[in-house]
Amino acid sequence: MSEPRINDRIRVPEVRLVGPNGEQVGIVRVEDALRLAQEADLDLVEVAPTARPPVCKLMDFGKFKYESDMKAREARKNQANTILKEIRFRLKIDPHDYATKKGHVERFLSAGDKVKVMIMFRGREQSRPEMGQRLLQRLAEDVAELGSVESLPRLDGRNMVMVIGPHKKKAEAKAENKRRKEEEDAAKASVSAQDAEPVDAAPADAAPADAQPVEAEQAATPEGGNETVPAAQETTSA
C-alpha cells in the first residue's frame, strides 16, 4: 500500500479539511489548509484521495505512521494459520488404540487445527467401505463438541478420508489456552505461597493445660521418700 500524500505533495485546489481531533472544518483552499497545518505544527495528510474534493486531516504524520506500523506488526504476530493435521486409523482398530487416536484428534481441534482423518484399507477390507464410513461417523460424533465435519468421508484410492474442522479459530484457541495457562500458574503460585507461610510454634517451656501442680505434694514428703511416725511413749506404773 502506497503512502498517502502529505503537505506540498497535495496538488488540488481545495480539500475537505478535518481537524486533529476529528472535527469537521469544511471545504477550504489547499493553501489555507497548509497554513493551518503549519500554525498547529502538524502535517496535512490526504486520507481519502478519491473523494471530491479529497479529504485531508491535520495530524502528526510521523506519529501516525509509527502507530500504524506497530499495529500491523502486532497483527502479524497474533496471526495464526490453521494447520491441517493428519491421523490414520486401521479399519480393525482395538478400543485402546481408538481412544488414543481420538485423544490426538481432540487435542488438534482444541488448538484450532483441522484434522484429516484417514482409514487405510488392506486386502479384502476394500470391499467393505461402509465399515470405514461407520468408523468415521463414530469419530465425528465423539468429537462433536470440538469440531464438525467439513469434508464428508470419501474414497481416495485404497484409503477413505474425512476432514474435521474446529469450532474455534486458531487465534481464539491460542488466546484461550494462554489464558488457561495463566490461571493455572496463578493457582500454583497461590498454593506455594500458602505452603510457605510459617506456623507459630508453642513455647518450649509452656506447660500442658491438664498438668497438675506437684509442689504441695513434694513439700509434704520429706527427703528420703518415707514418712517417719513418732513412736508412742511407754508409761510405767509406779
Side-chain angles (χ1 to χ4, degrees):
M1 181 179 179
S2 60
E3 292 186 358
R5 295 188 298 180
I6 64 172
N7 299 328
D8 295 335
R9 294 173 56 192
I10 303 173
R11 301 183 181 278
V12 291
E14 58 184 14
V15 297
R16 184 179 299 277
L17 186 61
V18 179
N21 297 320
E23 65 275 14
Q24 296 291 330
V25 178
I27 298 177
V28 299
R29 295 190 307 165
V30 69
E31 294 84 0
D32 296 334
L34 288 170
R35 177 177 52 80
L36 292 174
Q38 291 176 356
E39 291 175 354
D41 196 19
L42 295 172
D43 298 302
L44 182 65
V45 182
E46 190 178 51
V47 295
T50 59
R52 291 292 179 268
V55 179
C56 297
K57 185 176 181 180
L58 300 176
M59 67 173 71
D60 184 341
F61 183 68
K63 180 180 178 181
F64 169 77
K65 186 176 179 181
Y66 172 77
E67 291 177 350
S68 299
D69 292 343
M70 291 299 294
K71 289 180 181 179
R73 183 180 303 175
E74 189 68 19
R76 289 193 299 270
K77 180 180 178 182
N78 294 332
Q79 184 179 7
N81 296 324
T82 300
I83 301 175
L84 180 62
K85 302 287 187 176
E86 182 176 309
I87 191 163
R88 300 183 179 184
F89 285 74
R90 290 292 185 185
L91 187 60
K92 296 179 181 179
I93 185 171
D94 62 74
H96 180 268
D97 287 344
Y98 176 82
T100 300
K101 292 181 179 292
K102 185 187 75 170
H104 293 328
V105 175
E106 292 174 338
R107 178 164 54 86
F108 295 149
L109 294 174
S110 298
D113 294 321
K114 294 183 180 182
V115 183
K116 179 181 179 182
V117 186
M118 180 183 298
I119 294 181
M120 299 178 292
F121 294 102
R122 294 184 297 182
R124 296 181 180 179
E125 293 177 351
Q126 298 181 61
S127 62
R128 303 296 301 275
E130 68 279 2
M131 295 179 63
Q133 290 180 344
R134 285 198 295 267
L135 179 58
L136 292 176
Q137 182 63 30
R138 174 189 172 190
L139 177 66
E141 293 174 355
D142 289 345
V143 300
E145 293 184 359
L146 299 173
S148 59
V149 177
E150 291 190 356
S151 176
L152 294 174
R154 60 180 177 82
L155 285 173
D156 183 12
R158 300 179 60 180
N159 304 321
M160 180 171 286
V161 178
M162 179 180 71
V163 177
I164 303 177
H167 291 320
K168 296 181 181 179
K169 295 182 179 180
K170 182 76 172 181
E172 295 176 356
K174 185 177 180 180
E176 183 175 345
N177 291 336
K178 181 179 179 181
R179 177 181 55 80
R180 186 183 298 112
K181 186 177 184 302
E182 290 176 351
E183 292 176 354
E184 292 176 355
D185 293 342
K188 291 179 182 179
S190 177
V191 172
S192 300
Q194 291 178 0
D195 294 342
E197 290 181 357
V199 179
D200 294 337
D205 56 350
D210 57 349
Q212 300 295 331
V214 296
E215 295 180 357
E217 184 179 350
Q218 291 176 353
T221 305
E223 292 186 26
N226 297 322
E227 289 187 349
T228 57
V229 179
Q233 295 181 356
E234 295 182 0
T235 56
T236 57
S237 58

